[in-house]
Amino acid sequence: MKVLLLGHKGMLGNDLMAQFRHRHDVIGMDREEIDITRASECRRAVAETEPQLVINAAGYTNVDACETAKEECFAVNAEAVKNIAQACRDGNVPMIHYSTDYVFDGNANHPYAEEDPCNPINTYGASKLAGEHHLKRLTDNFILIRTAWLYGAKGKNFVSAILDRARETGKLTVVDDQMGSPTCTRDLAAATELLVDKNARGIFHVTNRGCCTWYDFARKILKEARMEQVELSPMKTSELQRAARRPAYSVLGMHKFVAATGKTMQPWQLAFSDYYSFIASRTCLSPPGTA
Ligand SMILES: NC(=O)c1ccc[n+]([C@@H]2O[C@H](COP(=O)([O-])OP(=O)(O)OC[C@H]3O[C@@H](n4cnc5c(N)ncnc54)[C@H](OP(=O)(O)O)[C@@H]3O)[C@@H](O)[C@H]2O)c1
């Protein structure tokens, strides 16, 4: 199948390229080749490449920066989704798009189902929800994957930030009152291909299984990196001055994904162990103080 992958240089896009190119002819486009906020460029990209599937992994993903750069955030996360969805509808091509756990307000105490009411509490979440609305209004021919707490080998993320700070300072303070599901982009890319293979359509929640706080996740990262000597202390979100509010609980229920694919995602702890062995083998990472 010929696949047009937008945002292929991003963290998820990089792993989607690696996943899909085994069995498909993938054309990657990123900011150098296309500005997805321009409708004409989206139309042209679809018309010229004649794909059988379009995957949009591009996005404005700096959650705190969204609070000040609202216009750009909505242009990329909402308007651009409209542009791509229109081009896909006109070319009769299915579209895959990614959204976020941050469309929910975090007041639940059980995993969110796909049809639960959305109520974003920050600009990023509001822009992603606006993108979802455009997509649903324009076409039925889509897979919309809501995911959360992504990390991957490409780009900066929570894992790289924890490892960098641990090496630099030997001391970390991490919030312990937000609950979510750390998700490896390699697993998400594989799950995306599964949904494509099953010819699924609609909204799906996809994360690694289980949940934890950022503090728990930091502890797991330090353990895997054999850096348990690093001092790790919990803190409350209210003590952290961040521009954007975060939902306290944003765990996503995955019954629909399991029903559609017959598979479950691996638990976040196993996914992270796999991921760490992979990056450690690639970069010869070793804990401080070892040869
Ligand atoms: N990261 C997470 O924890 C997380 C959680 C839930 C959902 N998601 C969603 O998952 C998707 C992938 O996230 P990610 O973290 O992999 O993103 P990412 O690493 O930030 O990559 C996004 C890519 O999109 C490109 N891009 C931005 N604006 C563009 C434009 N106007 N035209 C063309 N390309 C543009 C970026 O280029 P530049 O680098 O040049 O800007 C970058 O290569 C996004 O939809 C995101 O909202 C992410």
Side-chain angles (χ1 to χ4, degrees):
M1 186 159 66
K2 202 171 184 189
V3 179
L4 173 60
L5 172 56
L6 303 170
H8 76 106
K9 291 187 178 161
M11 184 166 68
L12 174 60
N14 189 57
D15 280 324
L16 284 167
M17 177 61 93
Q19 179 73 35
F20 275 77
R21 74 177 164 208
H22 289 299
R23 290 171 49 214
H24 303 286
D25 171 14
V26 187
I27 302 156
M29 288 191 181
D30 211 289
R31 208 186 271 279
E32 289 85 36
E33 294 86 15
I34 186 170
D35 178 358
I36 57 170
T37 65
R38 293 171 186 269
S40 58
E41 294 193 24
C42 295
R43 268 199 307 274
R44 199 184 58 212
V46 172
E48 284 178 1
T49 58
E50 298 184 325
Q52 289 148 293
L53 174 68
V54 172
I55 306 179
N56 178 32
Y60 191 103
T61 55
N62 185 331
V63 175
D64 288 312
C66 285
E67 295 302 322
T68 41
K70 287 191 182 179
E71 211 172 301
E72 192 183 350
C73 159
F74 269 86
V76 178
N77 291 340
E79 281 299 304
V81 181
K82 180 169 86 182
N83 299 338
I84 300 163
Q86 260 163 354
C88 286
R89 183 196 58 191
D90 296 349
N92 198 22
V93 190
M95 172 172 168
I96 298 181
H97 177 64
Y98 296 88
S99 187
T100 172
D101 54 332
Y102 285 5
V103 296
F104 297 113
D105 60 21
N107 292 330
N109 52 15
H110 57 85
Y112 284 100
E114 283 80 356
E115 56 282 358
D116 279 344
C118 295
N119 182 30
I121 59 171
N122 59 37
T123 304
Y124 170 74
S127 70
K128 295 296 292 186
L129 183 60
E132 289 192 9
H133 287 152
H134 283 310
L135 180 59
K136 285 192 285 186
R137 186 174 51 80
L138 285 161
T139 175
D140 293 329
N141 199 5
F142 67 82
I143 300 174
L144 169 61
I145 297 175
R146 291 199 193 116
T147 189
W149 293 27
L150 294 183
Y151 61 89
K154 180 87 188 293
K156 292 199 185 306
N157 51 65
F158 183 75
V159 176
S160 60
I162 289 293
L163 290 172
D164 287 350
R165 234 180 303 151
R167 284 194 198 97
E168 284 159 16
T169 67
K171 219 173 160 180
L172 295 169
T173 311
V174 179
V175 293
D176 73 343
D177 57 356
Q178 291 172 37
M179 185 74 84
S181 306
T183 301
C184 180
T185 48
R186 279 204 307 180
D187 288 8
L188 180 57
T192 301
E193 195 178 24
L194 260 179
L195 286 167
V196 170
D197 288 348
K198 294 290 180 187
N199 213 17
R201 292 291 181 271
I203 304 180
F204 295 89
H205 287 173
V206 185
T207 63
N208 279 124
R209 200 143 45 88
C211 59
C212 63
T213 65
W214 289 113
Y215 174 83
D216 299 329
F217 188 25
R219 197 165 47 190
K220 170 70 176 167
I221 295 167
L222 295 177
K223 182 164 186 259
E224 209 65 41
R226 290 189 286 143
M227 293 171 83
E228 283 164 300
Q229 76 286 2
V230 169
E231 199 184 306
L232 177 64
S233 318
M235 71 185 294
K236 298 293 161 212
T237 302
S238 55
E239 296 172 62
L240 196 65
Q241 303 293 320
R242 302 194 80 170
R245 288 174 65 207
R246 264 64 173 182
Y249 178 94
S250 59
V251 180
L252 302 177
M254 286 185 285
H255 296 300
K256 259 186 93 179
F257 174 79
V258 174
T261 63
K263 306 269 184 199
T264 54
M265 296 293 284
Q266 65 172 334
W268 71 266
Q269 297 93 329
L270 286 182
F272 183 73
S273 299
D274 280 359
Y275 169 78
Y276 191 80
S277 321
F278 169 71
I279 56 163
S281 68
R282 271 192 1 169
T283 57
C284 305
L285 281 176
S286 59
T290 60

